Amino acid sequence: MTGSTKGWGKGWGRWLPAWPGSRPRGFRGLAAALALAACLLVPPASWIAAEWARGQALDELAETAQARLTLYTATLTAEIEKYRVLPLTLAWDPDVAALLASPRDVALVDRVDRKLATLNAGASLSALYVMARDGTTLASSNWTEETSFIGRNFAFRPYFREALAGRVGRYFAMGTTSQKPGYYIAYPVWAPVWAEHHAVGVVVAKVAMEPLEATWHDMAGERVFVTDRHGVVFITNVPDWRFRTLAPLSPEARREFEASQQYEGTGLEPLPRLDSALVHQSPVPDTDWRVHVALDSRPADARAWSAGLSAGIATLLLLAAGLVVLQRRLAMVERLEYQRRAQLMLEHRVTERTAELSSANARLTDEIAERERAEQAARRAQEDLIQAAKLAALGQMAAGIVHEVNQPISAIRSYAENAGLLLDRGRLDLVRANLLEITGLTERVAAITRQLKTFARKSSGMLGPVSPRVAVERSMALLGAQANALGADMVLELPDETVPEQVPMVLADEARLEQVVVNLLRNALDAVSTRNRRAVTVSLGQEDGLVLLKVRDTGPGIPEDDLPRLFDPFFTTKEVGVGLGLGLSISYGIVQDFGGRITAANHEQGGAVFTVALRPAPPSDPAPPPG
């Protein structure tokens, strides 16, 4: 290596004066070579670096888009599902049934109009209305407005035909009367005789999507939009994109829209072509909709430009450094000076390497901290999802719980009024008896609220000894009203609590274990709701050192093809709109956190049986003897 360096130095020696002298005569040739090399190397280096940086930025944006899609899909599903119970409840309202039986009763029409207006104002809906079997609107929440639906016939709408056929009608369309878009949820109103299976009318709730679009606009800066199966944008946080299409519509699609007047009054013009690399999409469960997120390309372009500029500058610096090294080598005439310069360069490189290692160490520390924050955020998100599922279950059980509370409250009122009359008559003995009855009823109400408070409280996240018997009994108390409404028998096969070894404690979290039991019992009640024999059996036992909690129903059972996917998120065998398919998935995750397992199978005598296997809690240390 030394000989090679000397030979190279001799080759250029004719250009060098004695040290220290003026600039070498060959320096201009080196500068020209540097300029030529820069023209040849800088553009491709900048282009390669820019493309690589752009690809990295697009990959990162794609990961962000997938997380955003999950969030937007969840908010959309929650928005369209939270209003489902209102038209369903109205479908069983006696005033609505009476109106459909006597549509010319003016007083009845007025009463239903006012009821719908009150409910609509409280729920912040676009409209609530009742339609006769021929599609004519008999009562509506907007009965006082110029665009009232009363007397309008909407028999041509698909949601009306679906509900009249006995199914839940769901449809998004532009209002032909109000000229405002909305999401329609329709339920049939059945004839008094169930055996006839005959719908006498339809109750419809129209939900405006402007609040959801405003929420999406405030949540992030992405362009979000929802399309139907024809590619029509009907929900978006970009107003100019609403009722535009991803591609030109086919003649068949346009004829379908003209027949249903789904997007009446809109042009349905195609959007400008979007970059497929910047648009990500995800299906909405139980619908033919798709949620899209269109990313902003400016961050990726800026990152690519910065990387290209940096690569160009780095290439120029490297070439300039090469020129400097060459110039130094050409200008070197004394070996000692050369050694001194080499030593300085080595020290400089050591310093740079040390700085790079320090920077890399700092980046690694930051990445570790970021990963820890991400894991903490994921745990908080899982806890929030579990808590949201509990609150959703309470909302679905609200009607039965209100009934359970209203009964003792009504009785308290009656006893209080009687006590006042008896007090005026001086019947103090009967007054005392009424007060004792009131005390008992208040204890009943307090017990119900305590159960609700216990179920709704947030989990502590700590595992400890928990009684499965208590969890089952509390869950049964919460679902008692629903079971009574269905006429279902709840059979409890629990061990005798007087024998300690037959009442095993399990290692779990009390609140989350109750949520698992409530989810299983609610699914069992849903399964038997359409059966002649309606029974749900809960049993406790021990096997292979584990505590087994089994919930069996007399429903139709589970199709064999669905068993492997039963605990997957968003998988459900229920009808559209009845559930999101998260209950069993959440229960599966909770039981796994306990160190247990949950399985599902079909019982040999019919129906399904869910088995929860939990670890028994370790025995507690005995208390020390007194003294």
Side-chain angles (χ1 to χ4, degrees):
M1 180 64 70
T2 304
S4 174
T5 303
K6 290 180 178 178
W8 176 87
K10 292 178 179 179
W12 290 92
R14 62 181 184 274
W15 289 355
L16 294 174
W19 182 274
S22 60
R23 180 175 298 179
R25 291 188 299 271
F27 184 80
R28 293 182 179 179
L30 292 177
L34 173 64
L36 179 60
C39 293
L40 294 175
L41 297 178
V42 170
S46 299
W47 183 83
I48 292 173
E51 288 300 310
W52 178 85
R54 180 180 176 83
Q56 293 293 317
L58 289 178
D59 291 342
E60 294 174 4
L61 289 175
E63 294 177 1
T64 302
Q66 290 302 320
R68 289 292 187 182
L69 279 173
T70 301
L71 177 61
Y72 291 132
T73 303
T75 56
L76 174 61
T77 303
E79 183 70 16
I80 64 179
E81 287 295 325
K82 70 180 180 180
Y83 297 107
R84 179 179 59 85
V85 70
L86 186 56
L88 175 61
T89 304
L90 284 173
W92 296 98
D93 188 275
D95 288 340
V96 173
L99 174 62
L100 291 172
S102 303
R104 298 183 181 278
D105 189 335
V106 177
L108 186 58
V109 170
D110 181 74
R111 185 162 67 251
V112 174
D113 281 340
R114 295 180 184 276
K115 178 182 291 188
L116 294 178
T118 302
L119 292 174
N120 183 72
S124 298
L125 292 171
S126 182
L128 272 172
Y129 50 100
V130 179
M131 302 171 64
R133 185 173 176 79
D134 63 353
T136 302
T137 305
L138 301 180
S140 175
S141 61
N142 60 3
W143 59 285
T144 60
E145 300 175 7
E146 293 181 0
T147 57
S148 171
F149 293 170
I150 294 179
R152 305 276 185 174
N153 190 294
F154 302 115
F156 60 90
R157 288 294 199 185
Y159 66 80
F160 172 77
R161 297 194 294 271
E162 287 287 320
L164 202 61
R167 297 181 292 270
V168 180
R170 295 171 178 269
Y171 195 64
F172 188 97
M174 174 69 73
T176 57
T177 302
S178 63
Q179 299 301 311
K180 294 181 179 179
Y183 179 70
Y184 298 85
I185 307 175
Y187 280 87
V189 180
W190 298 106
V193 180
W194 282 85
E196 295 181 359
H197 196 72
H198 176 66
V200 296
V202 174
V203 177
V204 185
K206 181 179 180 182
V207 183
M209 288 299 167
E210 288 83 0
L212 176 63
E213 293 175 337
T215 301
W216 284 355
H217 184 273
D218 296 335
M219 289 174 64
E222 296 97 352
R223 294 167 291 177
V224 187
F225 57 98
V226 182
T227 60
D228 62 13
R229 60 190 176 91
H230 294 294
V232 178
V233 178
F234 58 93
I235 302 175
T236 178
N237 61 357
V238 184
D240 293 340
W241 288 12
R242 191 177 294 111
F243 303 124
R244 303 284 294 274
T245 63
L246 298 181
L249 293 176
S250 64
E252 292 79 8
R254 288 195 176 274
R255 284 194 294 269
E256 178 182 337
F257 290 152
E258 290 175 1
S260 63
Q261 300 183 32
Q262 183 175 3
Y263 301 113
E264 186 71 13
T266 61
L268 297 180
E269 296 296 331
L271 283 170
R273 185 172 182 83
L274 301 176
D275 188 350
S276 59
L278 299 173
V279 179
H280 298 264
Q281 58 178 307
S282 175
V284 179
D286 301 325
T287 69
D288 57 359
W289 301 352
R290 302 191 75 84
V291 179
H292 305 254
V293 173
L295 303 176
D296 188 353
S297 62
R298 287 177 296 181
D301 295 338
R303 187 166 172 180
W305 185 88
S306 177
L309 181 62
S310 299
I313 293 175
T315 304
L316 287 175
L317 290 177
L318 288 175
L319 294 174
L323 177 63
V324 170
V325 171
L326 290 175
Q327 192 273 338
R328 286 179 178 177
R329 287 181 177 273
L330 291 173
M332 182 174 53
V333 293
E334 294 182 0
R335 186 173 182 80
L336 292 178
E337 182 67 11
Y338 169 80
Q339 293 177 349
R340 185 183 70 82
R341 290 178 180 272
Q343 183 178 2
L344 291 176
M345 184 176 290
L346 178 61
E347 292 176 353
H348 179 65
R349 289 179 176 177
V350 169
T351 302
E352 288 182 343
R353 184 59 178 167
T354 302
E356 291 175 359
L357 291 175
S358 299
S359 177
N361 183 53
R363 288 196 302 271
L364 181 60
T365 302
D366 293 340
E367 290 175 359
I368 293 174
E370 183 64 25
R371 184 178 295 274
E372 291 176 350
R373 287 194 295 271
E375 291 175 352
Q376 293 174 359
R379 286 195 294 270
R380 288 196 298 270
Q382 182 184 23
E383 294 172 358
D384 292 342
L385 181 59
I386 292 174
Q387 186 67 11
K390 291 170 65 175
L391 296 179
L394 283 178
Q396 294 177 353
M397 297 185 294
I401 294 172
V402 168
H403 179 72
E404 288 289 322
V405 173
N406 280 340
Q407 282 186 337
I409 290 177
S410 299
I412 289 172
R413 179 177 180 180
S414 298
Y415 279 120
E417 292 174 353
N418 290 338
L421 296 175
L422 293 172
L423 186 63
D424 294 338
R425 298 175 184 177
R427 300 295 302 275
L428 298 181
D429 54 336
L430 295 180
V431 171
R432 182 181 299 276
N434 281 7
L435 293 177
L436 291 175
E437 291 291 342
I438 291 175
T439 301
L441 291 170
T442 56
E443 283 296 324
R444 179 180 172 187
V445 174
I448 295 174
T449 56
R450 281 196 300 272
Q451 292 165 359
L452 289 175
K453 182 178 179 182
T454 300
F455 180 75
R457 74 181 185 273
K458 202 162 187 178
S459 169
S460 64
M462 304 295 294
L463 302 183
V466 176
S467 171
R469 165 186 284 273
V470 174
V472 171
E473 290 175 346
R474 289 178 177 173
S475 302
M476 290 296 301
L478 286 174
L479 295 170
Q482 183 178 349
N484 292 336
L486 291 175
D489 296 329
M490 306 298 289
V491 182
L492 304 180
E493 297 179 354
L494 303 180
D496 187 359
E497 61 182 353
T498 61
V499 183
E501 57 271 15
Q502 292 187 1
V503 189
M505 304 290 282
V506 297
L507 190 63
D509 176 81
E510 185 176 18
R512 292 197 288 169
L513 179 58
E514 289 180 17
Q515 183 177 359
V516 172
V517 179
V518 166
N519 286 344
L520 296 179
L521 291 178
R522 288 180 61 243
N523 285 347
L525 290 174
D526 290 341
V528 303
S529 62
T530 59
R531 311 292 286 182
N532 292 330
R533 179 172 177 265
R534 302 173 183 176
V536 177
T537 302
V538 184
S539 61
L540 275 176
Q542 297 187 71
E543 183 177 319
D544 297 333
L546 296 175
V547 179
L548 301 184
L549 188 154
K550 297 184 178 181
V551 178
R552 179 197 166 194
D553 60 65
T554 59
I558 306 169
E560 294 295 331
D561 294 341
D562 292 341
L563 283 174
R565 301 181 296 158
L566 202 58
F567 297 99
D568 292 345
F570 299 109
F571 177 78
T572 178
T573 60
K574 299 178 182 179
E575 295 182 359
V576 176
V578 176
L580 296 178
L582 291 177
L584 289 179
S585 176
I586 291 174
S587 300
Y588 184 87
I590 292 174
V591 174
Q592 276 200 327
D593 290 344
F594 295 164
R597 64 178 184 272
I598 179 171
T599 58
N602 289 313
H603 198 273
E604 58 185 6
Q605 297 179 359
V609 57
F610 286 81
T611 302
V612 179
L614 299 171
R615 295 181 296 168
S620 58
D621 296 334

